[in-house]
Amino acid sequence: MELTKSDKELLVDLEKKLQKASNTFLGYPVSKDFNYDEINPFLKYPINNLGDPFEDGTYKVQTHQMEKEVIAFFAKAFRANPKDYWGYVTNGGSESNLYGLYLARELYPKAMVYYSESTHYSIRKNIHLLNIPSIIIKSQDNGEMDYEDFENTVRMNRHKPVIVLATFGTTMKEAKDDVSKIKAILKNLAVQDHYIHCDAALSGSFGPFMSPRMPFDFQDGADSISISGHKFIGSPIPTGVLVAKRSNRDRIAKGISYIGSLDTTITGSRNGHSPLILWYALKTLGTKGLKERFEHSLEVAQYCEKQLNNIGVKAWRNPNAITVVFPKTSKSIKNKWQLATEDDISHVICMPNVTKSQIDLFIEDMKNSKELVEEDIDFDVAFL
Ligand SMILES: *Cc1c(COP(=O)(O)O)cnc(C)c1O
C-alpha cells in the first residue's frame, strides 16, 4: 500500500515545520551542522548491537567494531587507564548516567548519593529507580557545587560509602563541578569507599580542549563519565557514551547464553546506527575538528555576551562556557528562539552551528522587546 495524498502532504508539511523550527533555536544544546549522507545506506539493515560491545555474541548484524573505536576515542580523551577502560554507546546522557549510578550501587550497595541542586532533572529519577538514599548539596550562585556544604554533609554521614554525582556543565548555567576538589575532600575525610560519576553530558565532548584545563576526567578522580552524542557532536538520533573502568564492570558482568555475550548494558537490543554515526563524526572531525568546533563556539559565546551587555542586558558566562546566561526574557523571544528558562534566568547555548549573524538577529529582537520584558514578568508572577 502506498501513502495517500494527504499522508504525503503531512510528510511535506512536517519537513517544512522541522526546517523552520531548527533555523531559530538557540536555547537547547543540540548541534545541527552534520551530514551523515555517507552512512545512509546502513538504514537498510536491522542493525542491533545486542550485548557487550567488547564480547562477540551470536548476532552478527552489528557495529561493535565502530562502537569500540568510539569508546577508545573517549577513553583516551578522558585520560582513562589504557588497560582499564570499558564503555558502550547509549541512547543518551540519561542512560549513561543511569549506568554510572548502577555500577556505583553494585560496588557499594550501602552507599549514599550526593548531588547538587543544579544537577540534571533525570538524575533524581535514576536515583529513585535504583532506590539509593541520597542527599542534595547546595549550589553556589554560578551553579557549581558548594564544596563546603558537601564536605560538612559527608562528614555527618561518613560511616557510609559515598557516591558523588558530579556535573561537568550544568543544564542552565554550564557550571562545572571540580572533580579533583571533590576527590580531595573525600581523601581529607578518609572516606575509603567512594565512587565519583561525572555527568559530562553537555561539556564532556569539549572538556579536553579547555585552556586552562578544568578537572573532570579519570586522572582527576572520576570512576565513570557520560556524554550526550547529539549535543556538541550532533546526531539525527539521540545518543550518548558511557566510559567506565573495566575492572568495575567485570564485577557486575553476567554471561547470557541466549545472546552468547555478557549482559552488561541497560537495554537488551541496542541501537547499532548511532555508534556508526559517532564513529563517522569522530573520523571526519578528528581531535583537531572537535577543538576547532569548541573554539568557534567559545568565540560566538563571548560575542553574544558582549553584545547583550552592550544593549544593557546583564549577561554572563561561567569559565570556558559556551552558554550565555541572562535575566529571563519576554515570552515572544523565548518562544521564537526556543530559549530554555528556569526561575529568573534564560540562556543561549552557542553550539557549533550558531553564527555571529544569528546572534545579531537575536540581539535585534532583544533590543526591540526590552520594554516588554517587565510586563511579561509581572504577568508570570501574577499567575504563579
Ligand atoms: C542533556 C543532559 C543530560 C541528559 O542527556 P540526554 O542525552 O538528554 O539523555 C544529563 N545531564 C546533563 C548535564 C545534560 O546536559
Side-chain angles (χ1 to χ4, degrees):
M1 213 163 81
E2 279 205 19
L3 283 185
T4 62
K5 189 157 169 280
S6 71
D7 286 339
K8 281 186 185 167
E9 277 165 12
L10 267 179
L11 280 185
V12 171
D13 214 44
L14 175 67
E15 192 174 358
K16 272 192 204 140
K17 272 195 200 131
L18 294 178
Q19 218 167 39
K20 179 153 180 273
S22 63
N23 280 338
T24 50
F25 79 61
L26 291 178
Y28 289 89
V30 180
S31 301
K32 305 172 290 192
D33 56 337
F34 50 78
N35 183 339
Y36 296 118
D37 287 351
E38 217 173 327
I39 49 179
N40 279 350
F42 294 92
L43 281 175
K44 285 190 301 221
Y45 303 98
I47 306 179
N48 189 330
N49 277 13
L50 203 63
D52 189 299
F54 291 83
E55 310 285 332
D56 271 338
T58 323
Y59 191 81
K60 298 285 189 268
V61 191
Q62 37 92 336
T63 58
H64 283 169
Q65 183 54 38
M66 272 78 177
E67 188 172 9
K68 282 187 282 192
E69 288 185 31
V70 169
I71 300 305
F73 180 94
F74 286 106
K76 190 167 174 223
F78 299 156
R79 302 188 304 171
N81 175 347
K83 294 205 175 71
D84 187 20
Y85 75 83
W86 176 85
Y88 74 100
V89 173
T90 64
N91 291 305
S94 312
E95 184 187 338
S96 304
N97 287 332
L98 179 61
Y99 198 87
L101 287 166
Y102 167 59
L103 204 50
R105 192 205 59 188
E106 293 302 287
L107 295 171
Y108 301 116
K110 297 206 156 41
M112 175 82 84
V113 187
Y114 301 81
Y115 63 95
S116 91
E117 44 184 353
S118 309
T119 300
H120 190 261
Y121 64 87
S122 65
I123 298 289
R124 280 170 212 237
K125 184 175 53 199
N126 285 345
I127 290 174
H128 190 61
L129 282 169
L130 291 165
N131 198 20
I132 324 176
S134 64
I135 299 184
I136 303 180
I137 304 299
K138 278 191 209 121
S139 292
Q140 304 175 45
D141 285 344
N142 75 336
E144 194 175 340
M145 179 183 284
D146 181 330
Y147 305 105
E148 210 178 300
D149 188 37
F150 173 67
E151 180 158 7
N152 292 335
T153 313
V154 174
R155 186 178 286 122
M156 287 189 291
N157 298 280
R158 54 189 286 189
H159 54 286
K160 284 191 165 205
V162 173
I163 299 171
V164 186
L165 192 295
T167 307
F168 191 66
T170 60
T171 313
M172 278 313 286
K173 298 175 180 168
E174 205 188 322
K176 287 115 184 153
D177 293 341
D178 185 328
V179 168
S180 61
K181 215 174 250 176
I182 291 169
K183 186 89 178 168
I185 291 169
L186 295 173
K187 193 164 174 219
N188 193 28
L189 294 173
V191 178
Q192 294 281 335
D193 292 344
H194 64 265
Y195 187 105
I196 303 175
H197 174 77
C198 180
D199 174 7
L202 177 59
S203 307
S205 331
F206 48 91
F209 313 120
M210 290 175 185
S211 141
R213 268 198 88 252
M214 299 184 81
F216 77 103
D217 69 11
F218 286 93
Q219 285 194 30
D220 297 314
D223 295 290
S224 49
I225 302 177
S226 52
I227 59 164
S228 294
H230 53 282
K231 291 185 176 172
F232 183 76
I233 294 170
S235 162
I237 314 168
T239 177
V241 172
L242 175 274
V243 185
K245 294 179 179 172
R246 184 171 192 102
S247 44
N248 286 340
R249 110 63 242 226
D250 286 349
R251 290 164 66 175
I252 66 162
K254 291 186 194 77
I256 304 290
S257 60
Y258 174 69
I259 57 172
S261 179
L262 294 175
D263 184 27
T264 41
T265 55
I266 299 274
T267 64
S269 288
R270 294 194 301 113
N271 188 324
H273 289 92
S274 39
L276 196 52
I277 287 166
L278 289 179
W279 177 86
Y280 184 86
L282 296 176
K283 285 286 174 189
T284 49
L285 288 167
T287 305
K288 186 165 166 280
L290 283 175
K291 186 163 185 272
E292 282 166 6
R293 277 166 88 71
F294 174 55
E295 282 159 0
H296 165 83
S297 288
L298 207 54
E299 194 185 319
V300 174
Q302 278 158 355
Y303 178 77
C304 178
E305 179 188 7
K306 190 164 141 263
Q307 296 303 95
L308 283 169
N309 287 335
N310 282 348
I311 60 165
V313 175
K314 290 199 179 67
W316 62 277
R317 282 183 313 117
N318 264 309
N320 278 308
I322 61 173
T323 304
V324 184
V325 184
F326 45 90
K328 187 166 141 179
T329 61
S330 71
K331 283 221 174 62
S332 60
I333 296 225
K334 179 184 153 179
N335 289 337
K336 172 168 174 192
W337 294 96
Q338 302 167 56
L339 301 185
T341 299
E342 193 181 277
D343 300 330
D344 49 0
I345 61 165
S346 300
H347 68 193
V348 159
I349 306 190
C350 301
M351 278 288 144
N353 57 277
V354 175
T355 59
K356 284 187 185 168
S357 46
Q358 246 176 331
I359 296 296
D360 287 339
L361 292 174
F362 166 68
I363 297 286
E364 203 50 40
D365 281 352
M366 284 289 280
K367 229 193 301 190
N368 295 334
S369 88
K370 257 188 97 185
E371 307 79 52
L372 295 169
V373 176
E374 272 86 53
E375 288 168 31
D376 264 20
I377 288 174
D378 284 349
F379 179 84
D380 272 3
V381 170
F383 280 82
L384 273 178

